[in-house]
Amino acid sequence: MKNNKVNTLYQRITDLREDKDMTQAEVAQHLNLHLTQYRRYEKAETPVTADFIKNISKLYNVSADYVLGLTNNKQKFW
Protein backbone atom coordinates (compact mmCIF):
# COMPACT_ATOMS: atom_id res chain seq x y z
CA MET A 1 0.00 0.00 0.00
CA LYS A 2 2.80 2.41 0.83
CA ASN A 3 4.32 2.10 -2.65
CA ASN A 4 0.98 2.97 -4.23
CA LYS A 5 0.83 6.20 -2.20
CA VAL A 6 4.40 7.06 -3.19
CA ASN A 7 3.68 6.36 -6.86
CA THR A 8 0.52 8.46 -6.61
CA LEU A 9 2.49 11.37 -5.17
CA TYR A 10 4.97 11.52 -8.03
CA GLN A 11 2.29 10.90 -10.65
CA ARG A 12 0.16 13.71 -9.24
CA ILE A 13 3.07 16.13 -9.40
CA THR A 14 3.36 15.40 -13.10
CA ASP A 15 -0.39 15.36 -13.75
CA LEU A 16 -0.94 18.70 -12.02
CA ARG A 17 1.76 20.30 -14.14
CA GLU A 18 0.36 18.85 -17.35
CA ASP A 19 -3.19 19.89 -16.41
CA LYS A 20 -1.96 23.50 -16.21
CA ASP A 21 -0.07 23.14 -19.53
CA MET A 22 3.16 24.10 -17.83
CA THR A 23 6.63 22.89 -18.68
CA GLN A 24 9.00 21.48 -16.11
CA ALA A 25 11.14 24.59 -16.57
CA GLU A 26 8.19 26.88 -15.79
CA VAL A 27 7.31 24.98 -12.63
CA ALA A 28 10.94 24.91 -11.52
CA GLN A 29 11.13 28.67 -11.99
CA HIS A 30 7.92 29.23 -9.97
CA LEU A 31 9.29 27.06 -7.18
CA ASN A 32 12.77 28.59 -7.24
CA LEU A 33 14.36 25.26 -8.12
CA HIS A 34 16.90 24.21 -10.69
CA LEU A 35 15.26 22.37 -13.57
CA THR A 36 17.35 19.28 -12.84
CA GLN A 37 16.09 19.15 -9.26
CA TYR A 38 12.47 19.49 -10.34
CA ARG A 39 12.90 16.72 -12.93
CA ARG A 40 14.29 14.46 -10.22
CA TYR A 41 11.14 15.04 -8.18
CA GLU A 42 8.87 14.11 -11.09
CA LYS A 43 10.89 10.99 -11.86
CA ALA A 44 10.84 9.94 -8.18
CA GLU A 45 14.64 10.03 -8.11
CA THR A 46 14.68 12.43 -5.15
CA PRO A 47 12.39 12.30 -2.12
CA VAL A 48 10.12 15.32 -1.89
CA THR A 49 10.32 17.59 1.13
CA ALA A 50 7.49 19.07 3.16
CA ASP A 51 8.39 22.49 1.73
CA PHE A 52 8.12 21.14 -1.80
CA ILE A 53 4.67 19.69 -1.13
CA LYS A 54 3.55 22.95 0.49
CA ASN A 55 4.83 24.99 -2.45
CA ILE A 56 3.43 22.71 -5.14
CA SER A 57 0.04 22.74 -3.37
CA LYS A 58 0.07 26.53 -3.36
CA LEU A 59 1.15 26.74 -7.00
CA TYR A 60 -1.71 24.53 -8.18
CA ASN A 61 -4.19 25.65 -5.52
CA VAL A 62 -4.86 22.11 -4.31
CA SER A 63 -4.67 20.45 -0.92
CA ALA A 64 -1.46 18.84 0.25
CA ASP A 65 -3.52 15.73 0.99
CA TYR A 66 -4.37 15.55 -2.72
CA VAL A 67 -0.73 15.87 -3.75
CA LEU A 68 0.21 13.16 -1.25
CA GLY A 69 -2.46 10.82 -2.60
CA LEU A 70 -4.42 10.74 0.66
CA THR A 71 -7.60 11.98 -1.03
CA ASN A 72 -8.95 12.44 -4.53
CA ASN A 73 -10.50 15.77 -3.52
CA LYS A 74 -8.35 18.63 -4.84
CA GLN A 75 -10.10 21.25 -2.71
CA LYS A 76 -8.03 22.91 -0.02
CA PHE A 77 -9.34 22.83 3.52
CA TRP A 78 -8.20 26.33 4.48
Side-chain angles (χ1 to χ4, degrees):
M1 177 105 138
K2 183 179 178 185
N3 283 339
N4 287 340
K5 295 288 185 201
V6 171
N7 291 336
T8 300
L9 163 68
Y10 292 104
Q11 186 60 53
R12 289 213 170 152
I13 292 168
T14 302
D15 291 345
L16 285 165
R17 177 182 57 79
E18 291 173 348
D19 288 348
K20 295 291 186 183
D21 294 323
M22 296 178 78
T23 65
Q24 289 180 335
E26 289 171 327
V27 174
Q29 184 177 16
H30 280 284
L31 299 177
N32 256 354
L33 297 171
H34 291 282
L35 176 57
T36 304
Q37 181 62 42
Y38 180 77
R39 284 185 178 153
R40 288 181 184 144
Y41 286 139
E42 275 200 12
K43 291 181 178 183
E45 294 174 352
T46 302
V48 296
T49 64
D51 279 339
F52 177 81
I53 292 172
K54 177 185 77 174
N55 292 333
I56 207 91
S57 297
K58 285 182 179 181
L59 176 64
Y60 297 124
N61 198 32
V62 297
S63 73
D65 285 348
Y66 177 79
V67 175
L68 291 167
L70 300 174
T71 181
N72 290 324
N73 184 355
K74 290 182 181 181
Q75 184 177 352
K76 294 192 303 186
F77 300 107
W78 63 90

